[in-house]
Amino acid sequence: MKVEIVTNRDGKVAVVEYDYQSRSVDEKPMVLDVLLQAQLNGHADLAFRYGCRARNCGVCTVDINGRPRLACRARIRDGDRISAMATLPVLADLVVKRDGIARQMRGRMPVQAAGNDLNVEAPEDYHALTACVECYACLHNCPMHAKNLKFDEGGVTAAVAADEGYLWGNPFSLLKLQIVRLDPLSSQAEKDEAVTQARDLGLDVCTNCPGCKCGVGIDLKNKVVKELLDAAGLAAGG
Amino acid sequence: MSIEAAWWDYDVIVVGSGGAGSAAAQAASERGARVLVVSKDPIGCSDTKISEGKVTVRATGEDSDTEQALSDNLRMGGGSIPDKAITQVFARDNRAAYDWYRQRGARPKVDAKRGGPRPVSIAMGGHTKRRTIGHANSGVALSHATWTAVVQTPRVDYMEDAWFLDVVITEATDVGGQRVVGGIVYDASGGRLVVARAPAVVIAAGGLSTLFFPKTDTMRGNTGDAYAVMARAGADLIDMEQLQFLPFCLTSPPSYEGLLCGEPSVASFMGDLLDKNGKVILDCVMLRTRAECAAAIMLAVEDGRGTTNGGAYLDLTKNAQAPLSGDHFKRYLQQVMPSAYRNVRQAMSKAAGQLKEPWEVRPAAHYMMGGLRADPDGGAFAEESRDAIAGLYAAGQAMGGVFGANRLGSTALAECAIFGIRSGHSAAAHALAHNNKVADAAFQPALAAAAKLFGRDGNQSAAVLKVELQDAAWANIGPVRSVQRLDRFEAVCTRIEAALANVGIPAYSSWNQAFIEYIELANMLVCGRAIAAAARERDGSVGGHVRSDGPQISVFAKPYSTVIRRGEDGMFMARRIGREGLPFGRLGAYLVGDFWRKAKLRVLRRLPAPISDRRIRKHYEAVMNKTVGPLEIEPGSLAGAPAESVQG
């Protein structure tokens, strides 16, 4: 099985063709299997992230034919092209700099629960949202996040923002804020603040967006974006 | 020097950003320390995140679950090797430490009558009481809590994509011994080295299971960096032969090899562990520790009774097919091990997924019980003041003495919070009392050693050598060991250590994969040597250490721990320290209790099927939530994953 891997080392971009050797007749390998084998067969310095191999850690996201997939659980097919996620800056080969996403949330969320009685159950939607594994597949086609990548104003470039935390949000950052709103232990002030923060991250862009797609199947459009738009008094369109 | 270096000042450096690291960072900050968290994986993407999310919380199932009951359980489950003072602290801090997760968003089901979180239906892997709390979305839900602790806590700075290379120590002329002054970090994302000056370092990056890849269910990053760093600093490591192999992991297909498929407790009342001929290997599986099950499987394999892929069969079909209790069992399985059961359904046949045929299982490396020889605050312990390393702490898996020869199910996440908080507090207090300026010269040797690796010629690649080491580790220092195997393994180490000198590393500084592979391989080699040295010292089988050429060490024998220290030549010297066993009365009571639980289970299993079925249903009904709501979206569920292409 022949696949293409887009490498990017020390600023030099190249497309490497790799011929995957099946380990059994009926093997249906994952993208990660290809990367692991390539590393042992002539591509020892190939850079890629992976963690648990079981779709829980969220670090192995790469683009397959231009769409984000978790490498450990995405089947590979003949002719597929593996490249780094297009939505974040490349550090090397398939490794992107993720830090700017989490860092933008610093100071935007409560440090700990305000309620004293911890013996309170959370609503079902709360658990629907804590299923997020932070794979960042949701950045794909996100118009709010796209603004970060073009940004260049007053000395703050996209590269600086990636270091210090992006200015505009994304479905993940909105999900984090919606979790605060759904937590029965958040105070009303904290819930209100979450909406304010969502607006500050550029929530108004969502009014004209057809909706985002989650890497692990969370209904971002209805359970995150719509809820925040409603709370902010913005009408959903798209 | 081609790679640049930045110099930073902090009070406490925390290495690792999982359960233990995040708790340590938050706790140190709470006491006024300025904290730097160094994480090679993205913040919070740790073993805590990919775990089943089960946490031991004492006295959630019944009032008789006293501190002594839990402490005794840890010690007996751990072959009497755990440190008594440490297990007592575990039992005492357990409930409050669990609330650390809840304060940051973990929201378990609540038992309104008992006024606390609701435990799962069956006592897990080796526990004598029902005291395990589950969470929707497993460990992923807890990772949101640890993420919050690192990202949102004031005075906590953090860097991800950052490899902590070594702790830097100097002579402590005032008190004797050594003291920590900071560490050297490779900031792969920034393309530079960082000299972080700080009087205290908490190592919370434990785990070395990648030494056994792919026969492991843990994070790729478990390359034993924590143990290697502490060993190179000259610290004593304890019980390093005690590695936990989870008994029930997948054998195939290759993409799934090593991943978890169950705990002893999933065997439930009617589960059996069988060899390839269908003969029972071990009875009362649900009451056994992980170590007992793993050892039984591997000894059967040694005996030529293993399955095609070198494992055994876990047969749960009798549980599932029981007319009255079968559905309860399926719900229980779903509730207690959602991610593991998902792995089974994806990797095995449809019939296996539906519990109509047995599962082929094999042990896989999961957890290192050994680690830093520490006091109950996680601080490096030394008998003589000249051996002390003031300011060195470990928490979580990197800390030794907590679990001895076997870790009970669901105790690791409790351990992370308990000793994360304790080490964080203690490190902050130490740092704030010893924050004298240290001359830059103290850091130069370690900095220069790291810098000169960039742009090094060589025709070997660490990524390839690593696989050779991993294969040798599984075969020789894995779940079955002997002197002959240890000899063989050490010969492999010697060969790879020599090859390490010829590993080539390009000069570019930003995310240099070859450099990363080199560092991790060097650390894995140190860990392999450490395990082999300790395994040689323990010449009989106990817990996670199984010797095919030695006797089973009796529960009545005087317990001891192995202690190893790395010498200048890179070799470890091993010795033993005595451990205090349980007083005779409590040991006897424990053994009688254990005998009684197994006897009751054996009787139940021999009853006519309709009667046992009714009794088992009664048990489930008494402890399970009657109404089961719709399942939460489960990371990995096939139904809800539009960005995946698992089908076809």
Side-chain angles (χ1 to χ4, degrees):
Chain A
M1 185 192 304
K2 283 195 171 62
V3 300
E4 288 177 348
I5 305 172
V6 181
T7 62
N8 185 340
R9 227 161 287 167
D10 202 15
K12 290 183 276 292
V13 180
V15 179
V16 173
E17 191 163 278
Y18 182 72
D19 192 0
Y20 181 78
Q21 306 299 309
S22 288
R23 291 173 286 188
S24 63
V25 233
D26 55 350
E27 189 188 8
K28 291 182 211 155
M30 309 291 182
V31 174
L32 178 60
D33 295 315
V34 173
L35 300 177
L36 286 168
Q37 193 186 84
Q39 201 181 36
L40 295 180
N41 288 296
H43 304 283
D45 293 349
L46 184 66
F48 56 97
R49 293 183 197 271
Y50 72 102
C52 67
R53 300 186 294 143
R55 243 197 80 161
N56 285 325
C57 75
V59 308
C60 66
T61 320
V62 291
D63 279 358
I64 307 300
N65 305 325
R67 292 183 58 198
R69 295 277 188 271
L70 283 166
C72 69
R73 281 291 173 274
R75 304 271 188 214
I76 188 117
R77 283 159 307 182
D78 195 53
D80 277 352
R81 187 188 186 99
I82 309 171
S83 56
M85 287 173 78
T87 45
L88 290 169
V90 177
L91 289 173
D93 297 348
L94 305 174
V95 177
V96 292
K97 184 177 171 74
R98 299 168 39 115
D99 187 45
I101 301 293
R103 202 169 285 277
Q104 78 174 168
M105 297 308 289
R106 294 208 88 179
R108 291 185 190 269
M109 288 169 60
V111 175
Q112 70 176 65
N116 291 322
D117 182 8
L118 295 171
N119 291 323
V120 179
E121 289 191 7
E124 213 180 285
D125 277 359
Y126 181 88
H127 298 304
L129 300 195
T130 62
C132 169
V133 299
E134 218 183 323
C135 67
Y136 297 163
C138 59
L139 303 184
H140 185 65
N141 282 342
C142 173
M144 199 193 302
H145 177 66
K147 286 166 77 174
N148 291 313
L149 306 179
K150 290 183 294 218
F151 191 69
D152 192 351
E153 200 177 288
V156 182
T157 61
V160 171
D163 261 351
E164 295 174 358
Y166 287 113
L167 294 175
W168 282 286
N170 53 70
F172 165 75
S173 52
L174 298 183
L175 172 135
K176 281 288 191 185
L177 294 169
Q178 179 61 11
I179 287 176
V180 174
R181 294 189 64 237
L182 289 170
D183 188 346
L185 291 179
S186 297
S187 68
Q188 190 55 47
E190 284 167 346
K191 292 179 185 178
D192 295 344
E193 175 64 15
V195 179
T196 308
Q197 292 295 345
R199 294 201 73 148
D200 189 55
L201 288 168
L203 180 68
D204 54 322
V205 174
C206 302
T207 53
N208 297 315
C209 177
C212 26
K213 219 170 202 182
C214 168
V216 293
I218 300 170
D219 183 358
L220 293 169
K221 189 179 174 184
N222 289 307
K223 292 194 169 171
V224 175
V225 178
K226 186 174 176 302
E227 293 289 326
L228 285 167
L229 284 174
D230 286 351
L234 296 164
Chain B
M1 191 185 303
S2 59
I3 185 166
E4 284 175 30
W7 293 69
W8 296 350
D9 290 288
Y10 283 91
D11 297 317
V12 176
I13 300 168
V14 175
V15 185
S17 67
S22 60
Q26 188 275 332
S29 151
E30 186 175 83
R31 294 289 161 92
R34 293 164 307 139
V35 180
L36 174 67
V37 175
V38 180
S39 178
K40 65 179 188 179
D41 275 316
I43 295 300
C45 295
S46 65
D47 280 320
T48 297
K49 182 174 184 177
I50 69 163
S51 72
E52 285 287 337
K54 298 287 179 292
V55 191
T56 297
V57 186
R58 188 182 62 75
T60 45
E62 48 188 291
D63 292 334
S64 64
D65 192 5
T66 60
E67 286 181 22
Q68 190 177 85
L70 175 54
S71 169
D72 283 4
N73 200 172
L74 288 169
R75 289 169 69 190
M76 285 304 297
S80 297
I81 299 173
D83 183 306
K84 181 181 162 191
I86 290 176
T87 60
Q88 284 172 337
V89 157
F90 185 110
R92 198 185 68 212
D93 289 5
N94 176 218
R95 286 178 63 88
Y98 171 64
D99 282 345
W100 185 91
Y101 291 112
R102 292 209 284 176
Q103 282 154 1
R104 283 156 196 84
R107 299 281 171 265
K109 288 260 184 292
V110 168
D111 181 340
K113 233 189 280 170
R114 291 189 59 81
R118 173 193 294 276
V120 298
S121 317
I122 290 179
M124 277 187 78
H127 282 279
T128 55
K129 308 270 185 197
R130 214 158 56 81
R131 52 164 88 103
T132 294
I133 308 303
H135 297 87
N137 301 315
S138 309
V140 173
L142 298 178
S143 80
H144 283 265
T146 65
W147 182 92
T148 298
V150 175
V151 176
Q152 304 299 348
T153 301
R155 285 187 300 277
V156 172
D157 287 345
Y158 64 85
M159 57 196 307
E160 60 184 38
D161 301 337
W163 274 254
F164 187 84
L165 302 177
D166 264 314
V167 60
V168 176
I169 55 178
T170 60
E171 296 284 331
T173 42
D174 48 341
V175 287
Q178 314 273 322
R179 65 191 181 95
V180 167
V181 291
I184 309 289
V185 180
Y186 171 49
D187 173 12
S189 152
R192 62 184 168 181
L193 295 170
V194 171
V195 180
R197 287 178 285 217
V201 173
V202 182
I203 306 285
L208 51 70
S209 305
T210 298
L211 188 52
F212 301 89
F213 185 87
K215 293 169 179 71
T216 169
D217 70 324
T218 68
M219 287 290 282
R220 181 217 71 84
N222 280 337
T223 48
D225 308 348
Y227 314 97
V229 162
M230 297 187 295
R232 283 194 294 264
D236 278 350
L237 302 182
I238 199 156
D239 298 330
M240 288 298 287
E241 80 284 5
Q242 294 295 348
L243 187 65
Q244 181 164 76
F245 293 89
L246 275 182
F248 310 142
C249 295
L250 294 165
T251 61
S252 69
S255 310
Y256 290 83
E257 188 180 359
L259 298 182
L260 180 66
C261 63
E263 266 281 308
S265 65
V266 309
S268 189
F269 300 92
M270 305 306 284
D272 284 313
L273 192 54
L274 310 171
D275 67 10
K276 69 172 177 190
N277 306 314
K279 202 173 143 243
V280 172
I281 296 176
L282 187 73
D283 79 335
C284 299
V285 174
M286 70 179 283
L287 297 177
R288 304 288 181 167
T289 63
R290 292 167 171 179
E292 284 176 288
C293 297
I297 294 171
M298 291 317 290
L299 290 173
V301 173
E302 286 286 291
D303 196 31
R305 294 184 285 128
T307 58
T308 329
N309 291 303
Y313 291 112
L314 178 63
D315 185 359
L316 307 178
T317 53
K318 279 186 220 151
N319 289 306
Q321 281 159 16
L324 299 177
S325 63
D327 285 346
H328 287 83
F329 170 75
K330 289 177 196 159
R331 247 171 55 201
Y332 158 72
L333 199 59
Q334 193 56 260
Q335 172 203 49
V336 77
M337 296 254 111
S339 314
Y341 188 37
R342 180 192 77 221
N343 289 338
V344 170
R345 281 171 293 167
Q346 289 185 358
M348 290 187 189
S349 70
K350 202 167 170 188
Q354 292 171 345
L355 301 162
K356 289 176 183 158
E357 60 182 43
W359 300 349
E360 188 185 8
V361 296
R362 185 181 60 205
H366 181 64
Y367 183 93
M368 171 45 93
M369 270 81 69
L372 182 70
R373 186 182 183 193
D375 61 32
D377 288 327
F381 176 87
E383 277 149 21
E384 318 256 354
S385 65
R386 65 184 151 89
D387 296 328
I389 307 174
L392 178 64
Y393 296 82
Q397 202 175 160
M399 176 181 170
V402 191
F403 301 120
N406 176 68
R407 181 171 73 67
L408 306 179
S410 79
T411 47
L413 297 172
E415 175 199 26
C416 283
I418 294 166
F419 296 102
I421 294 168
R422 293 183 71 91
S423 65
H425 284 162
S426 189
H430 173 84
L432 296 174
H434 296 88
N435 53 359
N436 310 324
K437 181 90 180 141
V438 177
D440 290 352
F443 299 90
Q444 290 299 350
L447 178 61
K452 78 164 194 248
L453 290 171
F454 289 86
R456 198 171 82 142
D457 290 335
N459 56 10
Q460 298 271 1
S461 108
V464 175
L465 293 170
K466 177 175 73 182
V467 175
E468 191 189 338
L469 180 66
Q470 286 165 333
D471 290 346
W474 175 259
N476 300 304
I477 58 167
V480 182
R481 300 159 182 172
S482 65
V483 165
Q484 201 185 20
R485 284 174 166 163
L486 296 176
D487 289 343
R488 221 178 290 153
F489 179 73
E490 287 177 339
V492 173
C493 287
T494 304
R495 201 166 65 237
I496 297 176
E497 280 159 0
L500 208 55
N502 293 316
V503 166
I505 300 175
Y508 61 86
S509 53
S510 177
W511 196 288
N512 187 321
Q513 188 71 27
F515 176 81
I516 292 168
E517 296 282 351
Y518 174 91
I519 292 297
E520 292 186 340
L521 175 61
N523 287 344
M524 286 162 69
L525 277 163
V526 172
C527 291
R529 290 268 185 202
I531 294 171
R536 229 179 248 287
E537 183 64 28
R538 174 127 15 222
D539 47 15
S541 300
V542 62
H545 172 68
V546 178
R547 284 284 291 256
S548 61
D549 60 348
Q552 177 68 40
I553 297 175
S554 155
V555 287
F556 298 107
K558 173 86 184 115
Y560 66 90
S561 276
T562 61
V563 177
I564 56 168
R565 188 183 300 169
R566 191 167 180 269
E568 295 284 324
D569 59 354
M571 297 298 134
F572 285 90
M573 294 294 292
R575 64 199 167 92
R576 300 177 181 189
I577 54 162
R579 287 296 199 196
E580 185 184 335
L582 284 188
F584 193 74
R586 286 196 350 244
L587 175 65
Y590 186 93
L591 293 176
V592 169
D594 191 46
F595 177 82
W596 180 237
R597 277 189 297 278
K598 284 181 187 140
K600 274 202 302 197
L601 180 57
R602 286 178 186 128
V603 168
L604 178 74
R605 287 169 56 98
R606 285 192 182 95
L607 287 174
I611 301 174
S612 64
D613 190 16
R614 211 170 308 136
R615 289 206 186 163
I616 292 168
R617 181 178 66 173
K618 220 170 125 193
H619 169 86
Y620 280 126
E621 283 179 349
V623 295
M624 270 176 118
N625 219 347
K626 292 269 182 337
T627 55
V628 176
L631 281 176
E632 68 275 8
I633 292 175
E634 183 192 301
S637 65
L638 294 184
E644 248 192 352
S645 55
V646 266
Q647 282 90 358

